[in-house]
Amino acid sequence: MAYLLGYDLTDYDIKLIECLVNYRGVKPYHFAVMKYGKNFTESQEKTIYKYLRKLLDQKLIVKYKLQDGSEGSMYYLTSKGYELAKDLFNIEEGKRGEGWINENGFTNYGDFPYELFSPPLEQAPHHLLLVDFLFKLKSINTTFIEHRINLYSAVTYGNSENKFRFRPDAEIRLENNRTYAIEIDRGSENHEQLCKKFRTYRHYYETAKQSALDVRHAGIIFIVEDKRKKHGMKRRWKNICAAFIKEVGDYHKDVNLIMTTVSDTSETILFEINRKNYEQRFINKLSTFLKKKGNQDVNLYLINDLDNDYKQIITTNMAESNAFYVNVYITSQTFEANVYSKFMNVYRQINAIKNQEVVKGLEFRGFRKAIIYGNEMPYLINDIGPYELDKEFNNVFREFNDNVHYYRVDDVLV
């Protein structure tokens, strides 16, 4: 036992306090995962409660019994515990901080009023679903995913007369500073509220652009509860996707929308990390295959998108002697909006494709699509109704669902 700053604290007690500074409020389950890993025993879990009892007795933390049928309790720092944490971790008074949690801990902490720092008790299930997601990130063994909670991802922008608030639930950062906004979705927002959310994203991006700043996210990831997988996930995706396409304008081309469950977090994030590698390997493999085959009826093209360093893969395939198809190759998560944006990019360039020398004057028979995915086959929206989009996007949704073939990434890139 060691007395530090007037309190009886072990090294692990300090780690518990650090965890609460990082995530505001957590359940004993999260502490157990942090100390013992996800396969902790009942005996190890009981040990966690002993540590928590000691901090409770010193009035450094408080226990909140979860409401509305939710089981268990959430623990968070008292105002006294938060003041102690500021001393323990040298949090400078008034400092804003960036709040990125990396493999070495926080890059720098911010100093917040206790009323702002303490977790939102009225939204405890929402908050704890976010914590579940962030702890799932820690289970990805191949790399550490930097992340920060909404205390730090929130932005106030505008001028003295017109101030606006942009506040995703969290952000994660992958290689090359690719940042993704995280939105926790428990199905409580209706379509108009979702539209309002995406209008906020668009306004934030456009306002920053006027100041020559690029704050676009590589993607927006909606995290839903695991029970959604069996009950209404496709219906919810259709609602979210329609609101996104309707409201973000042209930002749909370079800001992807993804939806996943907490349990599928690892697969989803790893696919994002490896996506460009998959695409480049597929380009190389397809190019090598065509050269070896020496087939003059198939021609490979790469449509470059300089804004996001993306290369769209297409081939023109002869059908008999007087006609051709365009094959479009796209990588996709299980629930992802970018498949439609990528296809629209080709859809808009069909006249330029028709004028390529090898197919000029031939009859265009239509598109064929090859979707390369991770573990679970992508879900495509057959009909966007009852939501109304512009005519071009309605056409894209209808056209995209015909002649689709699916290929698992491990099968085509062996």
Side-chain angles (χ1 to χ4, degrees):
M1 298 291 182
Y3 284 87
L4 183 63
L5 300 174
Y7 295 97
D8 179 10
L9 300 173
T10 64
D11 287 343
Y12 186 65
D13 292 326
I14 294 173
K15 284 191 175 297
L16 292 179
I17 293 171
E18 182 182 25
C19 180
L20 291 174
V21 175
N22 290 353
Y23 301 107
R24 303 172 72 192
V26 305
K27 296 176 74 172
Y29 162 83
H30 299 115
F31 289 127
V33 170
M34 182 180 73
K35 184 171 177 62
Y36 301 112
K38 63 181 180 180
N39 297 319
F40 60 84
T41 65
E42 185 177 344
S43 173
Q44 289 170 331
E45 186 176 19
K46 288 180 179 178
T47 301
I48 296 297
Y49 280 100
K50 290 180 182 178
Y51 282 107
L52 293 174
R53 171 49 55 192
K54 190 173 75 168
L55 295 177
L56 284 166
D57 290 343
Q58 295 181 87
K59 294 183 170 47
L60 295 174
I61 64 173
V62 65
K63 178 171 74 170
Y64 172 72
K65 175 70 175 171
L66 297 175
Q67 309 295 312
D68 301 325
S70 299
E71 295 182 0
S73 300
M74 178 173 69
Y75 291 77
Y76 60 98
L77 293 172
T78 61
S79 57
K80 184 167 73 171
Y82 186 43
E83 288 303 314
L84 171 64
K86 292 178 184 181
D87 289 330
L88 289 174
F89 307 116
N90 296 309
I91 300 175
E92 298 177 30
E93 185 174 355
K95 186 173 182 178
R96 174 68 175 85
E98 292 186 354
W100 287 105
I101 301 173
N102 56 34
E103 53 192 329
N104 300 315
F106 257 112
T107 52
N108 51 49
Y109 285 110
D111 178 26
F112 300 97
Y114 179 73
E115 294 74 20
L116 179 61
F117 167 79
S118 57
L121 301 184
E122 70 283 358
Q123 295 182 336
H126 181 103
H127 172 79
L128 290 171
L129 186 60
L130 171 64
V131 176
D132 286 342
F133 165 74
L134 296 176
F135 268 69
K136 276 288 184 180
L137 293 179
K138 293 171 175 285
S139 70
I140 300 175
N141 297 323
T142 53
T143 186
F144 187 92
I145 308 301
E146 290 186 300
H147 54 279
R148 61 180 181 177
I149 59 176
N150 60 5
L151 286 177
Y152 299 95
S153 62
V155 178
T156 300
Y157 65 99
N159 52 44
S160 57
E161 295 181 357
N162 292 296
K163 287 191 178 296
F164 304 95
R165 187 78 165 163
F166 174 73
R167 194 181 188 188
D169 288 317
E171 288 178 325
I172 64 172
R173 189 162 62 188
L174 305 185
E175 77 286 351
N176 299 323
N177 282 324
R178 288 191 298 139
T179 304
Y180 292 73
I182 304 301
E183 295 286 351
I184 299 301
D185 184 75
R186 300 185 68 244
S188 59
E189 293 174 304
N190 61 31
H191 187 69
E192 180 49 41
Q193 289 171 317
L194 289 169
C195 287
K196 182 179 179 181
K197 182 190 292 287
F198 290 123
R199 282 196 294 271
T200 301
Y201 273 91
R202 180 177 180 174
H203 186 264
Y204 175 54
Y205 296 154
E206 288 182 341
T207 303
K209 188 176 180 180
Q210 292 169 8
S211 301
L213 297 174
D214 187 359
V215 296
R216 292 172 301 174
H217 295 92
I220 304 168
I221 304 177
F222 271 64
I223 307 298
V224 301
E225 297 166 288
D226 288 339
K227 64 183 180 182
R228 271 278 176 192
K229 208 158 191 177
K230 293 183 178 179
H231 305 289
M233 190 160 179
K234 293 177 181 178
R235 179 184 174 93
R236 186 60 177 168
W237 169 243
K238 184 176 176 180
N239 191 350
I240 294 170
C241 187
F244 172 77
I245 291 171
K246 188 189 300 183
E247 299 296 344
V248 298
D250 283 346
Y251 290 109
H252 74 83
K253 294 187 293 186
D254 41 32
V255 179
N256 197 2
L257 176 71
I258 297 167
M259 186 172 77
T260 189
T261 61
V262 172
S263 61
D264 289 333
T265 292
S266 297
E267 291 80 3
T268 301
I269 301 305
L270 285 172
F271 191 87
E272 284 305 292
I273 290 172
N274 294 312
R275 186 192 291 262
K276 286 194 175 182
N277 175 264
Y278 292 153
E279 290 168 348
Q280 188 58 55
R281 285 169 60 195
F282 183 77
I283 291 170
N284 295 342
K285 187 165 187 176
L286 184 58
S287 179
T288 301
F289 172 77
L290 293 176
K291 286 178 181 177
K292 283 184 178 180
K293 191 175 180 182
N295 190 341
Q296 301 300 313
D297 293 337
V298 181
N299 293 277
L300 173 66
Y301 299 93
L302 301 178
I303 301 176
N304 293 312
D305 188 337
L306 299 179
D307 285 343
N308 56 16
D309 191 30
Y310 174 71
K311 297 177 181 178
Q312 176 64 62
I313 316 162
I314 68 168
T315 59
T316 54
N317 298 55
M318 297 298 293
E320 303 166 359
S321 61
N322 63 343
F324 74 100
Y325 288 95
V326 172
N327 280 16
V328 186
Y329 303 88
I330 300 174
T331 55
S332 179
Q333 301 272 6
T334 307
F335 294 92
E336 174 178 322
N338 210 221
V339 289
Y340 307 108
S341 301
K342 290 173 181 175
F343 178 63
M344 177 177 273
N345 187 35
V346 179
Y347 185 83
R348 287 174 169 173
Q349 298 189 56
I350 187 58
N351 288 331
I353 296 170
K354 289 178 181 178
N355 284 324
Q356 294 297 311
E357 193 62 36
V358 292
V359 296
K360 197 169 184 178
L362 302 181
E363 177 192 354
F364 171 56
R365 290 277 180 86
F367 294 99
R368 291 170 174 169
K369 305 95 187 174
I371 298 183
I372 302 157
Y373 65 96
N375 291 326
E376 191 171 342
M377 188 179 294
Y379 168 69
L380 298 182
I381 299 171
N382 291 318
D383 179 10
I384 199 63
Y387 310 109
E388 294 184 3
L389 303 180
D390 65 49
K391 184 177 179 180
E392 185 179 33
F393 246 118
N394 285 334
N395 290 338
V396 164
F397 272 101
R398 282 193 295 268
E399 174 69 42
F400 192 80
N401 282 279
D402 293 330
N403 290 321
V404 182
H405 301 275
Y406 300 90
Y407 302 94
R408 195 166 176 267
V409 67
D410 288 345
D411 295 332
V412 297
L413 294 180
V414 290

